[in-house]
Amino acid sequence: VVGCPMVYVENSPKHLDSNFEYLLQKIQNKKFKILAHARHIWSKESLQHFGEYSKNNDWIIRSYSEFLFKTNKNDSILILFEYGPDVEKSKMLSSKLNLNENIIWLPKMKRKYILELIKRIDVVIGEFIQIKNTLFGGVGYEALACGKPLINGWLFDEGYFQKKFGYPSPPLLKVKTENDIFIHLISLYSNNENRKEICYESKKWFDDYNGIGLARKWIDLILN
């Protein structure tokens, strides 16, 4: 299986929107910055209407609430996007758990801005589709491309990924249950050296198997 390169991070935009610059200034002093920019779809009503699999975004909000209870509420921020049919339900859940001061909601934006945001945060939380052998999408590749720890659902049997795709599975922080998210957040928050190591391994994996490495593989196939 030969994948298709889908994220390019080598160049940054020459000019950033003033509102985006303000956002970066707003979050820069936070010790622990979390981004979860997947589409919100998790309620029974939405799943019945759209016929899609749940991304279980509500797991993120509840896990973050528990994380704040165990840590310093003033030195972390969770960034979410107004994207998907369950945004209002996610906002209601956040309010119910008294998280409004620790969550920033952003409108949908172009990937070039999302990548610039990822470069400035500490961890990306993806999606948690409870279907075996389901790989992450753009959110996961964007996180790994920027060399950031990725917390994401992972229901692959041992060795299956490498057998199917021909290269090692990504060094993401694997989630099978909601509580796994909380455990990973506490670990990343508490151990900066471990976080740096995951950042290095994430970037290396992307460059070797999906970024420049994959582009070179396509060039070889075309030329030969």
Side-chain angles (χ1 to χ4, degrees):
V1 176
V2 181
C4 180
M6 61 178 296
V7 180
Y8 180 75
V9 296
E10 273 62 34
N11 290 335
S12 298
K14 293 182 179 179
H15 303 288
L16 296 173
D17 179 87
S18 59
N19 290 329
F20 188 74
E21 290 277 16
Y22 174 75
L23 167 67
L24 298 181
Q25 293 174 8
K26 186 176 180 180
I27 68 172
Q28 67 178 351
N29 292 326
K30 295 294 183 180
K31 174 185 174 183
F32 194 62
K33 298 173 281 291
I34 307 163
L35 174 65
H37 58 296
R39 187 162 53 103
H40 290 253
I41 180 163
W42 55 270
S43 72
K44 291 181 180 179
E45 295 83 359
S46 292
L47 297 173
Q48 289 173 352
H49 181 74
F50 293 98
E52 297 187 49
Y53 300 123
S54 175
K55 294 180 182 288
N56 288 302
N57 315 80
D58 54 320
W59 289 13
I60 302 170
I61 297 168
R62 285 194 294 270
S63 296
Y64 185 57
S65 176
E66 188 175 0
F67 167 81
L68 287 178
F69 181 75
K70 297 287 186 179
T71 61
N72 183 344
K73 289 190 176 184
N74 296 318
D75 66 359
S76 72
I77 197 79
L78 171 62
I79 303 169
L80 302 173
F81 273 61
E82 294 173 329
Y83 178 34
D86 283 326
V87 167
E88 291 307 315
K89 287 185 173 62
S90 292
K91 288 184 176 182
M92 289 174 61
L93 178 59
S94 300
S95 295
K96 182 179 178 181
L97 295 173
N98 299 315
L99 299 177
N100 290 343
E101 292 186 3
N102 293 88
I103 292 180
I104 294 176
W105 284 93
L106 298 178
K108 289 170 62 178
M109 61 179 62
K110 294 179 179 179
R111 173 174 276 175
K112 64 180 181 179
Y113 284 106
I114 292 175
L115 292 174
E116 287 305 304
L117 181 57
I118 293 174
K119 292 174 185 177
R120 291 164 170 81
I121 56 87
D122 299 296
V123 56
V124 174
I125 304 180
E127 56 192 29
F128 310 100
I129 297 174
Q130 295 296 283
I131 306 294
K132 283 197 69 173
N133 304 327
T134 300
L135 187 59
F136 49 76
V139 168
Y141 286 111
E142 288 161 1
L144 296 166
C146 294
K148 298 297 178 176
L150 171 64
I151 299 175
N152 203 87
W154 191 261
L155 297 179
F156 286 84
D157 291 333
E158 189 68 31
Y160 178 84
F161 183 93
Q162 181 152 2
K163 182 178 180 181
K164 180 176 177 60
F165 293 99
Y167 52 87
S169 59
L172 52 77
L173 297 157
K174 301 177 176 63
V175 169
K176 292 185 178 180
T177 67
E178 180 176 328
N179 190 57
D180 292 337
I181 302 172
F182 165 73
I183 293 171
H184 289 316
L185 287 175
I186 290 292
S187 176
L188 291 169
Y189 177 83
S190 305
N191 192 332
N192 193 46
E193 289 305 312
N194 181 51
R195 195 163 79 219
K196 288 180 180 179
E197 179 64 23
I198 296 171
C199 289
Y200 171 80
E201 293 296 335
S202 298
K203 178 64 174 171
K204 186 176 187 306
W205 182 89
F206 180 82
D207 288 344
D208 288 348
Y209 305 113
N210 282 273
I212 295 297
L214 184 56
R216 287 173 179 150
K217 193 170 186 177
W218 272 103
I219 291 172
D220 289 342
L221 286 171
I222 292 169
L223 294 179
N224 295 325

